[in-house]
Amino acid sequence: MATDPALLARIERLESLEQIRQLPAKYALALDMRDMDAMASLFPEDVRVGREETGRKAFRAWMDRTLRSPFTGTSHHIGGHIIEFDDADHAQGVVYSKNEHETGDEWVIMQMMYVDNYVRIQEPDGPRWYFARRLPLYWYATDLNQPPVGDNKMRWPGTEWTEGNFHKLFPSYAEFWAREGDHGGPVAEPAPLNGFLATMRRGADAPRVKVRAD
């Protein structure tokens, strides 16, 4: 049996990575299949729901209300997933998601990313990772027959068109378009292996987001 502390720590980290990678896929399946109990089980027992409520039961009820209108059906396609650890029991990540929504007589497609926080909790059957928080950052949402060209790409049926927040967490996007071409300076050193997201964010605060269950 392996007893080397460094090796055991590496194995534990790999197991944690695998658990966390499963979370967005489980979230997508639970959401699309409308299994609200499965959805709630991906969050800790004391999950916050809005400003005043906490707990899985409150979260399940909120998700139930949200997914009845305006959506008839949804399909979520998970893309690239970056995971970085703050310590043994806390991690953060970014995962892309391309979504389709049947809503009335329209078919709304969406491109977005989730900025996640994860927490590991000791359970009777062993340690388990949960979502601590999911922050959705949207690029566009529009009917399949209305290409999302222009600034206001969020086009939900029956609502005013608004700007998304897909790029707001990472300063590089605005900086890229603010200059005429390559800035000519030296190329930055590669980010630390467990600091890619922090390097890209450069201290940027999370934008305020009106959260939908998506």
Side-chain angles (χ1 to χ4, degrees):
M1 181 178 293
T3 57
D4 179 67
L7 178 59
L8 291 175
R10 293 177 67 181
I11 292 172
E12 182 180 83
R13 179 58 54 90
L14 290 172
E15 291 177 341
S16 291
L17 280 169
E18 183 57 27
Q19 273 201 44
I20 294 171
R21 285 196 182 102
Q22 291 279 338
L23 285 173
K26 291 177 178 178
Y27 180 96
L29 181 63
L31 192 156
D32 293 337
M33 298 302 113
R34 299 300 190 269
D35 190 327
M36 298 297 94
D37 284 315
M39 171 70 66
S41 73
L42 300 176
F43 293 79
E45 290 186 1
D46 61 351
V47 57
R48 291 195 61 181
V49 185
R51 295 183 178 180
E52 299 181 356
E53 293 187 286
T54 61
R56 287 174 178 158
K57 187 174 182 179
F59 178 70
R60 186 186 65 191
W62 180 79
M63 290 293 296
D64 190 285
R65 293 192 301 270
T66 301
L67 292 173
R68 291 185 184 279
S69 177
F71 314 122
T72 305
T74 55
S75 179
H76 288 67
H77 308 265
I78 304 302
H81 192 185
I82 301 171
I83 303 165
E84 295 179 351
F85 289 86
D86 302 319
D87 54 44
D89 295 319
H90 300 86
Q92 56 185 297
V94 168
V95 58
Y96 274 57
S97 186
K98 186 68 174 284
N99 312 327
E100 300 191 16
H101 309 77
E102 183 182 10
T103 173
D105 59 357
E106 298 189 66
W107 196 274
V108 176
I109 56 173
M110 172 187 284
Q111 179 64 59
M112 63 173 294
M113 70 173 75
Y114 290 101
V115 180
D116 291 335
N117 293 97
Y118 314 105
V119 60
R120 185 171 68 165
I121 298 174
Q122 293 293 330
E123 305 284 3
D125 60 348
R128 180 173 296 195
W129 284 90
Y130 295 97
F131 289 114
R133 183 186 186 220
R134 303 211 82 187
L135 176 69
L137 300 181
Y138 305 108
W139 188 15
Y140 65 77
T142 187
D143 181 78
L144 189 64
N145 297 309
Q146 299 182 28
V149 177
D151 292 333
N152 295 331
K153 300 180 186 297
M154 296 298 295
R155 303 173 183 177
W156 286 104
T159 66
E160 294 292 328
W161 294 1
T162 60
E163 183 183 13
N165 46 39
F166 190 70
H167 305 97
K168 299 297 178 64
L169 196 63
F170 303 100
S172 56
Y173 190 80
E175 293 169 359
F176 179 90
W177 291 110
R179 63 177 185 262
E180 295 297 326
D182 183 77
H183 58 70
V187 176
E189 291 296 318
L193 288 178
N194 197 46
F196 187 81
L197 295 177
T199 300
M200 287 195 63
R201 286 183 64 166
R202 286 183 261 149
D205 292 328
R208 295 182 63 85
V209 177
K210 184 178 180 180
V211 177
R212 303 183 67 101
D214 237 313

